[in-house]
Amino acid sequence: MSNALEIPGHLTRVPGNGGLLKTKVETPWSHAEIYLHGAHVTHFQKLGEPPLLFMSAASQFTEGSPIRGGVPIIFPWFGPRDGFPAHGYARTSTWQLTETHLLPSGAVTLRFSLPSTDALHVEFLVTVAETLHMELSVTNHSTVATQVETCLHSYFQISDIAAISITGLEDVSFTDQVASLTHQESLPIHISSEVDRVYTDTRATVDILDPGFKRTVRIEKSGSDSTIVWNPWIEKSKRMADFGDDEYPHMVCVESGNVAGNAVTLGPGEKAVLGVRVSSF
Ligand code: BG6
């Protein structure tokens, strides 16, 4: 294991679950962990607060399988695709950690690169500080236009699904993937059954109001026109081998990306950057 990118007292590289390599980051405000497998942020916690990201205790940590929880990177397609892995291959690929920096502010940045045989160059930049900032960039080095879907599929830890509300998506049109219809609502979201909604044409900041943890989690984004809200609820949880039957009350996914009608077309030489900042107060 190369330690060249370690920053004493701030960034170490250690074997994680399943022997997969992970990077542990410490800043004056927070702790984080990021696996090379999927360039997957599995942990972000502000000092004195419960973790901001949910991780399933049933998650697998093996080559070829996605990690359940944290922030899976969805690329180059979102959802199922005949004959190919759901949500693309980025979350099951081993990325390279190419750069690390300790900034004068005390923030730590890490740059990951997705080894690829095609002409798309994909990088993931993570900045750990008082907030967690993530940036997924895709550059088309080929001579033809190509279309991709991107998404940072963030799982948030919450005190209780019955107590939280989600604001920011009022009056935004969404496809309800459970009922297979398109809809919109004017009130904050309260979850009391399976929810799988793809909101399109929205750049809105989303807040998760969590009275149990006495905090609001804020998800701000840039370069993103879609937001997905997902909770598997009871029956789907039972069908998922890598998710505990009783974990659904403690998580909600608010995912930021560009999917379905918001897929990004990149001409030769063009670059698209999807940014997400997670904060709490
Ligand atoms: C969400 C999708 O983004 O991811 C859901 O909208 C899906 O339909 C969920 O069930 C989890 O997907 P996976 O492939 O990680 O089980």
Side-chain angles (χ1 to χ4, degrees):
M1 185 191 322
S2 159
N3 288 335
L5 295 162
E6 293 201 344
I7 305 172
H10 298 278
L11 189 153
T12 50
R13 305 180 75 193
V14 295
N17 293 340
L20 299 176
L21 254 188
K22 74 176 176 189
T23 306
K24 294 178 77 161
V25 179
E26 291 182 26
T27 75
W29 313 273
S30 60
H31 293 164
E33 295 187 359
I34 306 146
Y35 278 74
L36 288 185
H37 182 68
H40 198 123
V41 181
T42 53
H43 180 65
F44 177 72
Q45 181 168 22
K46 283 169 62 180
L47 305 184
E49 271 192 29
L52 274 157
L53 300 178
F54 165 86
M55 262 303 304
S56 171
S59 177
Q60 301 180 42
F61 286 85
T62 45
E63 303 283 352
S65 299
I67 293 171
R68 179 70 70 193
V71 187
I73 298 176
I74 309 305
F75 172 87
W77 58 84
F78 177 87
R81 178 162 291 201
D82 275 348
F84 294 96
H87 285 332
Y89 52 78
R91 64 178 180 165
T92 51
S93 298
T94 302
W95 294 54
Q96 282 172 347
L97 178 61
T98 56
E99 272 179 52
T100 59
H101 297 283
L102 174 62
L103 304 183
S105 64
V108 173
T109 63
L110 307 91
R111 186 182 297 278
F112 296 86
S113 172
L114 177 63
S116 171
T117 49
D118 63 27
L120 292 175
H121 182 59
V122 185
E123 287 198 324
F124 188 51
L125 182 66
V126 182
T127 304
V128 182
E130 190 173 10
T131 65
L132 172 68
H133 186 254
M134 299 169 285
E135 212 172 77
L136 180 71
S137 63
V138 184
T139 310
N140 180 8
H141 287 306
S142 80
T143 52
V144 290
T146 186
Q147 197 176 59
V148 295
E149 291 176 295
T150 56
C151 186
L152 297 177
H153 190 308
S154 312
Y155 287 70
F156 293 101
Q157 174 150 318
I158 53 172
S159 61
D160 180 6
I161 194 77
I164 64 148
S165 51
I166 300 172
T167 63
L169 296 167
E170 298 83 0
D171 301 319
V172 178
S173 175
F174 64 86
T175 301
D176 180 334
Q177 302 207 100
V178 179
S180 298
L181 45 84
T182 302
H183 199 47
Q184 67 183 51
E185 291 177 356
S186 55
L187 294 173
I189 302 167
H190 290 272
I191 297 179
S192 56
S193 61
E194 181 181 350
V195 167
D196 190 350
R197 297 179 175 183
V198 178
Y199 291 83
T200 46
D201 304 322
T202 176
R203 297 186 167 186
T205 293
V206 173
D207 284 345
I208 304 171
L209 280 56
D210 188 339
F213 281 163
K214 295 187 172 55
R215 75 177 174 193
T216 295
V217 177
R218 175 157 290 173
I219 303 121
E220 296 167 279
K221 60 181 194 162
S222 56
S224 160
D225 287 327
S226 316
T227 298
I228 296 92
V229 178
W230 180 62
N231 180 287
W233 209 251
I234 298 167
E235 293 309 321
K236 188 159 181 170
S237 296
K238 290 181 184 163
R239 293 197 298 272
M240 290 161 52
D242 60 347
F243 188 82
D245 291 359
D246 53 1
E247 290 185 315
Y248 73 90
H250 306 298
M251 58 71 69
V252 67
C253 287
V254 176
E255 313 164 28
S256 307
N258 295 288
V259 309
N262 294 139
V264 176
T265 300
L266 288 171
E270 282 183 350
K271 177 179 183 174
V273 182
L274 161 62
V276 175
R277 183 182 303 282
V278 178
S279 58
S280 66
F281 50 89

